[in-house]
Amino acid sequence: AQTVTQSQPEMSVQEAETVTLSCTYDTSENNYYLFWYKQPPSRQMILVIRQEAYKQQNATENRFSVNFQKAAKSFSLKISDSQLGDTAMYFCACGNSGGSNYKLTFGKGTLLTVNP
Amino acid sequence: NAGVTQTPKFQVLKTGQSMTLQCAQDMNHEYMSWYRQDPGMGLRLIHYSVGAGITDQGEVPNGYNVSRSTTEDFPLRLLSAAPSQTSVYFCASSPSGGRGGEQYFGPGTRLTVT
């Protein structure tokens, strides 16, 4: 069984500043993937970034980057140059890379508010 | 290419009524899943399917039924609605063997049971 924990229910940041969202996970799998999904007020789930557990290099996507600490089972999301459009609920998720890639385990989410 | 579509977007039911939430995808994905989202709980897996004719239970399957007669469609049935099933329901699909679990989500259905 997998568990994903997001310890920050809410966060806020000023526009143009940097913010880091925390996530820890636990899995018995050797091969797995980690994801951050964004859910804006429109309710649509949008993939922000993904990380393969076998890769040591941290994933980056434009202003979004992760700090993946495999031994500590930590997977934080850094948003640089925050924009008003980044205001959303952010979910951390873990999925297997083997036959179970149809199942994701989600954290409870962090509500991020970007203030002007 | 519509991706994953869900109907209806909103629904109000009375306790004891039954209904089917529709989900369809046009990406020829083998895997499809249903999640429910409740405040403070994240998304929890209800049922999933690894292909036509194959379904299995997720974390919170009670009160729901699914079937998968085609690759494209994966309906979720509420047999006898209860207020505890008030939630937002998401359908998702993913291709087999690729991109390690990245799922494509539908727009969601907000269900209220009174």
Side-chain angles (χ1 to χ4, degrees):
Chain A
Q2 296 171 327
T3 59
V4 177
T5 302
Q6 294 178 249
S7 58
Q8 305 151 315
E10 294 187 36
M11 294 190 71
S12 63
V13 65
Q14 291 299 121
E15 195 175 7
E17 292 187 347
T18 295
V19 64
T20 298
L21 309 184
S22 301
C23 173
T24 59
Y25 64 94
D26 194 15
T27 179
S28 57
E29 301 292 331
N30 290 324
N31 299 316
Y32 55 92
Y33 288 76
L34 297 163
F35 305 88
W36 278 98
Y37 279 88
K38 169 185 177 181
Q39 186 181 43
S42 67
R43 202 169 69 198
Q44 181 68 47
M45 294 288 287
I46 302 165
L47 179 65
V48 174
I49 199 166
R50 62 192 290 271
Q51 172 81 41
E52 293 93 332
Y54 64 87
K55 287 187 177 179
Q56 292 186 334
Q57 186 174 5
N58 289 326
T60 61
E61 288 286 345
N62 301 314
R63 298 183 295 107
F64 299 88
S65 62
V66 298
N67 183 4
F68 174 46
Q69 302 289 328
K70 189 171 184 179
K73 296 186 175 177
S74 170
F75 182 61
S76 60
L77 174 70
K78 184 171 84 171
I79 306 175
S80 304
D81 186 26
S82 296
Q83 300 176 0
L84 296 178
D86 295 333
T87 292
M89 182 73 82
Y90 287 81
F91 292 99
C92 179
C94 180
N96 296 337
S97 64
S100 303
N101 64 346
Y102 40 82
K103 294 195 289 184
L104 292 181
T105 301
F106 286 84
K108 295 183 178 182
T110 296
L111 179 61
L112 176 67
T113 301
V114 180
N115 298 310
Chain B
N1 191 336
V4 180
T5 58
Q6 292 182 237
T7 56
K9 285 189 168 50
F10 301 92
Q11 183 70 49
V12 179
L13 288 179
K14 288 183 165 41
T15 297
Q17 287 184 318
S18 62
M19 80 157 295
T20 299
L21 306 185
Q22 301 292 344
C23 175
Q25 52 93 8
D26 61 359
M27 297 173 283
N28 203 32
H29 287 170
E30 288 193 7
Y31 300 145
M32 296 186 74
S33 309
W34 276 102
Y35 295 85
R36 60 176 288 173
Q37 181 181 15
D38 302 297
M41 296 295 293
L43 277 75
R44 293 181 293 169
L45 184 65
I46 304 171
H47 285 285
Y48 61 93
S49 169
V50 301
I54 306 170
T55 64
D56 206 345
Q57 297 181 349
E59 181 185 352
V60 288
N62 291 340
Y64 306 96
N65 203 358
V66 293
S67 60
R68 182 103 178 266
S69 57
T70 67
T71 299
E72 294 78 21
D73 301 300
F74 190 44
L76 178 73
R77 296 182 187 84
L78 280 69
L79 308 173
S80 177
S84 61
Q85 293 178 305
T86 293
S87 188
V88 178
Y89 291 85
F90 287 97
C91 179
S93 72
S94 61
S96 62
R99 295 190 65 78
E102 178 180 346
Q103 300 206 353
Y104 299 77
F105 284 85
T109 295
R110 180 176 292 280
L111 175 68
T112 302
V113 182
T114 61

